Amino acid sequence: MLRIPSTIPGLKFTESGNFFLLAGPCVVEGYDLCMEVAEKLIEITNKFNIPYVFKASFRKANRTRIDSFTGLGDETSLEILQRIKTTTGLPIVTDIHEAEEAEMAATVADILQIPAFLCRQTNLIKAAAETGKWVNVKKGQFSSPESMKHAVDKVRGAGSEKVMLTERGTSFGYSDLLVDFRGIPTMKSFDVPVVLDVTHALQQPNQMSGVTGGRPDLIPLMARAGMICGIDGLFMETHPEPSKALSDGANMIPLHNVERLLEQLLAVHEVYKKIAE
């Protein structure tokens, strides 16, 4: 059964029978860039009747190097996200890293995202849930799918059913990640929407340069595999010029490749629906 977070304000096409999409640049780099991405993705998702949420982090706290870009400033970035939301009508998903950020981010965001490294932080998850917004908890690179039941329980314990989980790979050695697709049905058994992050799942972290690498050439393969395993939603970061992105460009999908990918994934999704009946 496909689980779509249909109570998110402004989310379109929730009755289409299609997976939902969380997508955008890694971090807010400026209004013009965010609007360019949002407008293109609106065009594509309207064409295919895909429920779409715009993604961009207002701050990036988990950086390898001390000189890595962390954002334009909280107030500036949240103002940009609010402009995107007001202009386009799109719902917004953004990361939070500390409990104190939850209420501030919730003034703009419809989904508060818990980064993978922080998926065990009880106070952070509770603070996000208590805002009444949806909470997307990314599975830690160190966590089993089974253990993510406890993150779901923390949200529910705070009085909310608005929780989803995102698979984004498991640490494989020091500098690679692998996705165990057995985790998709395991996490779906918790009766929550399950998302596959097809860009971060292909990261190659902990490089000597202090800049994370990646395998964006494998994004279509990763996404197709997720579809046939029954994911409810797809997460991906995209940029008009990934090589110039200020964060995580090495594992992004170029914006001009998104339409073709989504078209292919809808075809795979139709196959999944037939074999899952």
Side-chain angles (χ1 to χ4, degrees):
M1 181 183 70
L2 198 65
R3 295 180 178 88
I4 302 295
S6 57
T7 59
I8 295 174
L11 188 64
K12 298 168 60 177
F13 308 121
T14 57
E15 301 298 324
S16 66
N18 292 329
F19 58 88
F20 65 96
L21 176 67
L22 312 177
C26 179
V27 64
V28 174
E29 298 183 14
Y31 175 76
D32 290 343
L33 184 281
C34 285
M35 182 56 75
E36 178 183 355
V37 174
E39 288 181 335
K40 182 60 177 178
L41 293 179
I42 288 171
E43 175 189 332
I44 297 168
T45 54
N46 282 351
K47 177 179 178 180
F48 295 136
N49 295 336
I50 295 174
Y52 171 51
V53 180
F54 179 80
K55 185 274 168 184
S57 297
F58 75 93
R59 185 200 307 160
K60 296 298 292 183
N62 298 332
R63 303 286 82 193
T64 302
R65 285 174 22 178
I66 194 170
D67 60 347
S68 295
F69 180 75
T70 58
L72 301 173
D74 295 353
E75 185 175 337
T76 297
S77 294
L78 288 171
E79 286 177 355
I80 289 172
L81 289 176
Q82 182 62 64
R83 287 178 66 192
I84 297 295
K85 184 174 185 175
T86 301
T87 303
T88 66
L90 288 173
I92 301 292
V93 55
T94 197
D95 297 278
I96 60 172
H97 304 85
E98 300 179 30
E100 293 74 17
E101 296 174 17
E103 187 174 350
M104 173 179 64
T107 62
V108 177
D110 301 279
I111 305 174
L112 299 177
Q113 186 162 275
I114 309 299
F117 282 127
L118 303 177
C119 70
R120 290 169 56 99
Q121 299 297 101
T122 301
N123 288 343
L124 177 62
I125 294 173
K126 286 181 60 181
E130 287 167 357
T131 66
K133 300 303 179 80
W134 275 83
V135 182
N136 180 24
V137 186
K138 286 196 163 185
K139 183 180 76 65
Q141 300 92 324
F142 45 82
S143 300
S144 70
E146 291 80 5
S147 72
M148 294 307 293
K149 175 67 163 58
H150 303 300
V152 172
D153 289 344
K154 289 174 184 178
V155 175
R156 289 174 172 163
S160 176
E161 289 292 328
K162 298 178 180 178
V163 55
M164 63 182 76
L165 297 175
T166 293
E167 169 63 63
R168 51 94 74 227
T170 300
S171 294
F172 182 68
Y174 291 115
S175 300
D176 210 350
L177 297 168
L178 287 179
V179 173
D180 181 353
F181 285 97
R182 297 175 299 176
I184 301 299
T186 296
M187 292 192 290
K188 282 175 70 74
S189 72
F190 307 149
D191 198 25
V192 299
V194 173
V195 179
L196 176 61
D197 179 345
V198 295
T199 47
H200 291 92
L202 291 165
Q203 279 185 333
Q204 294 175 323
N206 303 319
Q207 301 297 310
M208 283 290 292
S209 64
V211 177
T212 297
R215 288 292 307 274
D217 57 304
L218 295 178
I219 289 173
L221 176 66
M222 182 70 68
R224 291 194 297 266
M227 285 296 150
I228 212 67
C229 289
I231 59 171
D232 302 294
L234 184 72
F235 178 106
M236 61 184 178
E237 291 182 344
T238 184
H239 193 284
E241 298 181 84
S243 64
K244 296 182 179 179
L246 299 180
S247 177
D248 283 358
N251 50 268
M252 285 183 176
I253 181 171
L255 187 59
H256 66 266
N257 288 343
V258 171
E259 181 171 357
R260 178 59 178 152
L261 174 61
L262 292 180
E263 185 176 28
Q264 293 172 349
L265 296 181
L266 286 171
V268 177
H269 186 59
E270 288 301 314
V271 172
Y272 167 75
K273 288 191 290 186
K274 290 179 181 178
I275 64 176
E277 290 176 352

